[in-house]
Amino acid sequence: MNQESPWKTGDTIRVVLVDDHDITRRGVAEVLRHSGIEVAAEAETASAAMGQIRLVRPDIVVTAGILPDADAAQLIRDIGSDYPDIRCLVLTGEVNDVLAYECMLAGASGFLLHTVPGASLGHSIRAIQSGIGVWGIGVADGLRNLMRRERTLDQLTPQERKILGLIGEGLTNRQIGSELRLSERTVKNYASAVIRKLGVSSRAAAASYATRMTLMRTAI
């Protein structure tokens, strides 16, 4: 006898909701149900989510940005590895450009804030099910800025990239010179070139840039 398929039938969209805050999870679940979307299972952690996904095989996973045992990007990578047909939406409380970028690289179909209206959340999930990416306005702007800076990074020479990385670690020109066996004056010239190419206004801004780029590259 054939077993019943765990996949959705008809136009019903089945969702696994992942969030370690019970009140938030209940609220989102209620919004989804009012939108005609079936909440097939809930989970508080990434590991529990993988177990529920294995059991119910949803169409979409809606996850918080940060979970007790992983962030959304890691969960999305794990889902994509085992269940490449399942789409993922990140629903979080605050804009985090770096996390949004990591989630995009991991294969997320969308990244929204909790401030999204309930009806819009339902529409967004239906759009994602149809293969359309959904990114909040503030999130999309942040992603464009980060990707623009990533392209800018390609303009730096290998030596300039090394110096930018050391600036990001908080080293002085003298310390960088000692690390790379360069004179302090040479390092200063390199640093000035880096600041000019990046289009930032100061060494501190370059250091902040380097930190953000390091976080993003860690996710690749």
Side-chain angles (χ1 to χ4, degrees):
M1 186 172 81
N2 292 332
Q3 293 184 342
E4 184 179 350
S5 170
W7 295 96
K8 77 181 183 72
T9 58
D11 295 326
T12 302
I13 298 175
R14 304 175 73 245
V15 166
V16 165
L17 181 58
V18 190
D19 197 306
D20 62 320
H21 293 95
D22 183 61
I23 293 176
T24 300
R25 201 172 61 249
R26 289 184 184 184
V28 174
E30 189 65 20
V31 167
L32 295 182
R33 292 186 180 106
H34 277 300
S35 299
I37 295 167
E38 178 185 347
V39 178
E42 299 180 19
E44 296 184 1
T45 65
S47 58
M50 293 303 294
Q52 292 295 342
I53 291 166
R54 184 168 55 253
L55 288 173
V56 304
R57 299 292 182 90
D59 301 294
I60 296 174
V61 172
V62 178
T63 179
I66 302 295
L67 298 165
D69 55 346
D71 62 22
Q74 183 58 57
L75 175 59
I76 292 166
R77 281 191 289 270
D78 291 342
I79 293 170
S81 176
D82 293 346
Y83 310 101
D85 293 333
I86 295 178
R87 296 182 171 94
C88 297
L89 168 65
V90 180
L91 184 63
T92 187
E94 62 182 14
V95 176
N96 184 324
D97 295 343
V98 172
L99 179 60
Y101 188 85
E102 292 175 352
C103 290
M104 183 184 70
L105 293 178
S109 295
F111 195 105
L112 298 174
L113 299 180
H114 286 154
T115 52
V116 63
S120 295
L121 178 58
H123 291 320
S124 295
I125 288 178
R126 294 188 186 284
I128 287 172
Q129 178 63 10
S130 299
I132 300 171
V134 178
W135 304 84
I137 295 175
V139 174
D141 290 342
L143 285 174
R144 279 192 289 270
N145 289 336
L146 287 179
M147 287 187 286
R148 188 180 302 117
R149 291 174 182 174
E150 179 76 357
R151 288 193 294 271
T152 300
L153 191 62
D154 293 336
Q155 300 175 13
L156 302 183
T157 67
Q159 187 75 305
E160 288 170 343
R161 291 190 190 192
K162 288 180 184 177
I163 288 173
L164 175 60
L166 294 173
I167 288 174
E169 293 177 15
L171 273 64
T172 65
N173 286 346
R174 179 173 296 179
Q175 291 169 326
I176 293 173
S178 176
E179 178 80 16
L180 300 181
R181 296 185 179 181
L182 298 172
S183 70
E184 188 173 352
R185 182 180 181 83
T186 297
V187 172
K188 182 178 180 180
N189 290 337
Y190 271 121
S192 296
V194 167
I195 291 170
R196 183 179 67 254
K197 288 184 179 181
L198 294 181
V200 295
S201 60
S202 66
R203 185 186 182 91
S208 175
Y209 177 99
T211 300
R212 294 170 75 87
M213 291 301 106
T214 298
L215 286 171
M216 290 191 298
R217 289 189 178 279
T218 300
I220 298 175

